[in-house]
Amino acid sequence: MRVRVLGSAAGGGAPQWNCACPVCRDARRDGRDRTQDTVAVTGDGTAWYLLNAGPDIRTQVLRTPELAPGPGLRETPVRGVLLTTAELDHTLGLLSLREAVRISVYATATVTHALSTAFPLRPMLGAYTDLDWQDLTAGLVLDGGLLVHRLTVGTKRPRYAGDTPGEDWVSALRLTDTRSGSSFVYATCLPAWTPAFGTFVTGADEVLLDGTFTTDDELTRTTGRPGSAQAMGHLPMAASHPMTTGYPGTRFRYGHLNNTNPSLGADIAADGLELLTDH
Ligand code: MLT
Ligand code: MN
Ligand code: ZN
């Protein structure tokens, strides 16, 4: 299995276009750019799947040689997209994939319903491409031999979704290579470290965690805007980092960084970072 971070920022990216906070100013000065959260995975190095499709997807695909098309005229290694939320920063990129001859999208019934009604992306995309939209059920096996397990970790609706019904709004995914046995957990939106989540990550080789905020008060402290990290559905790194020590043999790193998060270093994903290579 190979796992590549295509984008390591939360919604808006970092720097964010209209933000002059210290982190965004430093990023502009140093030429650093985090694009919005999307990860690419493959079991066999040939069939690739995207975990979410953010607004920066075109740039991300163009700068990833493994995702280049060919040899057929419209042949692409990108087979499909697995959605873990219905948030705009995880779904808008689907519209930029409309040139696909055919594409598979996997989502929970809750996310599918929101993307069919409040934000009717599914019927829109279906007008442009041969869209194979499937339920994201546990035990799904993708081309290339990746086995997918899903855990509902949160019930926060996107702001646009109003009172759209459903429970399975926010998922963590566990992908296991059926040949090598290696596994990767993607949980960039994680409201709480529950016992169920603890079990879900046990034995994984690599985990990408929610790195939106360092502390619960980061947004208010840096921008003056109201809203704690946990109220926004994001367990701060200060709370998740102590939990990671209980899983020897598992490497934890952070993605989906908000533009206010100044973290850098070995545990912080950057765009283009390869998280796992075992083949
Ligand atoms: C989130 O991660 O909480 C959402 O992407 C927020 C947003 O879209 O503004
Ligand atoms: Mn987000
Ligand atoms: Zn900023």
Side-chain angles (χ1 to χ4, degrees):
M1 167 159 52
R2 292 179 63 189
V3 178
R4 165 84 53 109
V5 175
L6 301 187
S8 56
Q16 180 172 298
W17 68 278
N18 63 341
C19 190
C21 81
V23 180
C24 287
R25 278 207 304 264
D26 287 357
R28 271 187 205 94
R29 184 196 61 208
D30 301 340
R32 272 199 310 272
D33 184 19
R34 291 185 185 282
T35 62
Q36 293 161 86
D37 183 30
T38 298
V39 165
V41 296
T42 183
D44 62 1
T46 301
W48 287 82
Y49 290 84
L50 305 177
L51 308 184
N52 295 315
D56 303 309
I57 195 69
R58 176 178 174 277
T59 307
Q60 294 167 339
V61 170
L62 288 182
R63 66 190 187 191
T64 306
E66 290 88 342
L67 301 182
L73 182 65
R74 291 287 163 84
E75 192 178 335
T76 166
V78 180
R79 298 287 168 89
V81 180
L82 283 66
L83 299 177
T84 66
T85 75
E87 296 285 356
L88 298 179
D89 63 340
H90 281 160
T91 58
L92 283 174
L94 283 175
L95 296 175
S96 297
L97 299 176
R98 66 189 178 281
E99 297 85 2
V101 174
R102 182 169 202 273
I103 193 149
S104 298
V105 177
Y106 303 85
T108 64
T110 299
V111 167
T112 297
H113 183 63
L115 297 180
S116 306
T117 54
F119 174 31
L121 192 151
R122 178 184 179 176
M124 286 166 72
L125 190 58
Y128 290 81
T129 183
D130 178 8
L131 180 60
D132 165 44
W133 194 290
Q134 296 192 37
D135 202 33
L136 183 46
T137 50
L140 171 73
V141 180
L142 302 173
D143 292 351
L146 290 180
L147 174 63
V148 183
H149 283 104
R150 189 194 71 78
L151 176 72
T152 295
V153 291
T155 54
K156 196 193 87 175
R157 287 168 175 70
R159 283 197 239 174
Y160 71 76
D163 51 11
T164 306
E167 290 297 319
D168 299 321
W169 286 104
V170 184
S171 299
L173 297 179
R174 181 168 174 142
L175 297 114
T176 304
D177 186 322
T178 52
R179 281 161 302 191
S180 70
S182 66
S183 62
F184 164 65
V185 173
Y186 173 88
T188 60
C189 289
L190 184 69
W193 196 293
T194 60
F197 184 71
T199 303
F200 198 67
V201 297
T202 297
D205 295 285
E206 181 77 42
V207 179
L208 190 66
L209 281 177
D210 189 331
T212 313
F213 301 110
T214 49
T215 60
D216 202 39
D217 65 349
E218 180 183 300
L219 192 67
T220 308
R221 195 164 30 79
T222 54
T223 68
R225 279 176 52 198
S228 76
Q230 295 206 54
M232 294 173 69
H234 298 291
L235 185 68
M237 292 165 62
S240 61
H241 193 259
M243 305 303 292
T244 63
T245 57
Y247 304 85
T250 301
R251 174 100 194 244
F252 292 88
R253 284 185 270 208
Y254 289 95
H256 192 270
L257 273 77
N258 192 56
N259 69 77
T260 52
N261 185 340
S263 301
L264 291 167
D267 294 340
I268 308 299
D271 287 21
L273 180 71
E274 189 119 26
L275 292 179
L276 192 64
T277 321
D278 65 6
H279 103 163

